[in-house]
Amino acid sequence: MSQYFLEIHSLQNLTTEFELIKNLKGKPLQVLEYSEKSFTFEAVPRMCGLGTILNFEGKYHMRGQSIEFLATGRVTRSEPLDHGNTSKYTVELHRFDKGLWEVFLKANLQAQQSTDLLFRSMRELE
């Protein structure tokens, strides 16, 4: 696992204040993809619909540190995976710490570039 990742410990429908997935503290959701103002994760199918406003609580993990992640966002995409056993959700972030998000994105990008450089170097040695 990368030393830079984001996990979700609480996922709530902001309108209904209903907890969408129970017991995330024991087994948090791993955020899979990141962009400037959105992220993607996998969860149970039909957990929520497009346009649902979600409240997130989680942790950034950067170089062994855990930093609290709090945000709200709107589901902009949902697609079934694995024959409908899971779904992939994309969330556009609305309220979040933009400065911390940028630090996290840059750290991820630098880690990926370092990994890419390492693999290129290994291929050149073959």
Side-chain angles (χ1 to χ4, degrees):
M1 180 181 291
S2 169
Q3 59 179 324
Y4 301 97
F5 63 98
L6 172 61
E7 59 188 17
I8 299 169
H9 292 262
S10 174
L11 182 61
Q12 183 182 59
N13 180 321
L14 197 58
T15 305
T16 64
E17 297 183 359
F18 182 70
E19 192 73 25
L20 295 174
I21 302 176
K22 303 288 184 202
N23 301 320
L24 280 179
K25 296 216 186 311
K27 187 176 181 193
L29 294 174
Q30 190 81 26
V31 173
L32 305 172
E33 300 170 8
Y34 314 91
S35 72
E36 187 178 327
K37 291 186 179 176
S38 68
F39 63 82
T40 302
F41 64 93
E42 290 180 19
V44 296
R46 297 173 297 284
M47 172 189 70
C48 61
L50 293 178
T52 302
I53 304 295
L54 302 175
N55 187 51
F56 298 91
E57 293 179 20
K59 298 226 184 266
Y60 292 106
H61 293 273
M62 296 188 280
R63 293 189 194 109
Q65 290 184 317
S66 293
I67 302 167
E68 188 174 66
F69 167 72
L70 302 172
T72 61
R74 184 175 57 87
V75 177
T76 58
R77 187 171 185 179
S78 172
E79 61 184 279
L81 301 172
D82 192 27
H83 304 292
N85 293 326
T86 61
S87 287
K88 182 174 164 181
Y89 298 93
T90 300
V91 176
E92 178 183 277
L93 292 167
H94 290 259
R95 288 190 210 139
F96 61 104
D97 183 332
K98 290 176 178 77
L100 185 56
W101 186 253
E102 285 182 24
V103 167
F104 180 69
L105 290 177
K106 284 180 186 175
N108 269 297
L109 179 62
Q110 288 172 347
Q112 184 60 48
Q113 288 172 339
S114 295
T115 301
D116 291 347
L117 182 61
L118 174 66
F119 282 119
R120 272 196 304 266
S121 297
M122 290 171 60
R123 274 184 265 161
E124 289 173 2
L125 291 175
E126 291 179 350

